[in-house]
Amino acid sequence: GQLVESGGGLVQPGGSLRLSCAASGFTLDYYAICWFRQAPGKEREGVSCINRSDGSTYYTDSVKGRFTISRDNAKNTVYLQMNSLKPEDTAVYTCAADTQTGWGTPNPSLYDYWGQGTQVTVSS
C-alpha cells in the first residue's frame, strides 16, 4: 500500500489550502488516518486524525476551528481543509494510516503507512 499527499503550496496568511491523502493498494476507510506536520527544528506534531469506526476526529488545539479532516470513501482519499492559515502553520504535512488499532489518536508509533509529505508555507 501507498499514501500520496498533494495540495501543499505557498499561501498568504489568512488563506486556505486543502490537502489530499490518496491511497493505493488498500482501502482508507478501514483505517484511522492522521495528518502530522513537522516544521524545521521542531518535533513532529499530530495535527488532525479521524478514527476507523465512528468517524470521530481529533484536532490539536492550535488548529481547532480552522482545520477540518474528512473522508471521501468513493475516492479513497482523506482531506485536510485548512482555513485562516497562519505563518506558524508552515511545515511539511504528512498523512499516515493506522492499520492496527483504528483509534485515530495522534501517536506516531501507531501509524504504519506514511506518505512522502507535502510542504505548506504560509507567508506574505
Side-chain angles (χ1 to χ4, degrees):
Q2 187 178 11
L3 297 173
V4 178
E5 301 96 337
S6 61
L10 172 64
V11 63
Q12 292 186 342
S16 298
L17 286 173
R18 188 177 75 160
L19 304 184
S20 300
C21 174
S24 61
F26 60 98
T27 303
L28 277 184
D29 62 342
Y30 292 169
Y31 308 119
I33 305 299
C34 199
W35 285 94
F36 295 88
R37 67 184 178 186
Q38 188 164 22
K42 294 188 176 181
E43 292 188 357
R44 182 167 52 193
E45 173 187 30
V47 177
S48 180
C49 309
I50 186 166
N51 84 354
R52 175 182 62 191
S53 54
D54 61 7
S56 59
T57 56
Y58 162 86
Y59 297 94
T60 193
D61 286 347
S62 63
V63 308
K64 286 179 180 177
R66 300 188 297 122
F67 290 12
T68 303
I69 191 170
S70 63
R71 295 180 185 268
D72 185 334
N73 293 335
K75 294 183 179 180
N76 206 24
T77 300
V78 171
Y79 300 101
L80 184 67
Q81 177 68 44
M82 306 187 296
N83 299 328
S84 301
L85 283 161
K86 303 175 181 181
E88 51 264 43
D89 295 317
T90 296
V92 175
Y93 285 71
T94 306
C95 65
D98 165 13
T99 65
Q100 302 301 313
T101 73
W103 294 336
T105 56
N107 180 350
S109 66
L110 298 177
Y111 291 81
D112 40 2
Y113 284 92
W114 292 80
Q116 82 289 351
T118 185
Q119 176 70 46
V120 172
T121 302
V122 185
S123 175
S124 54

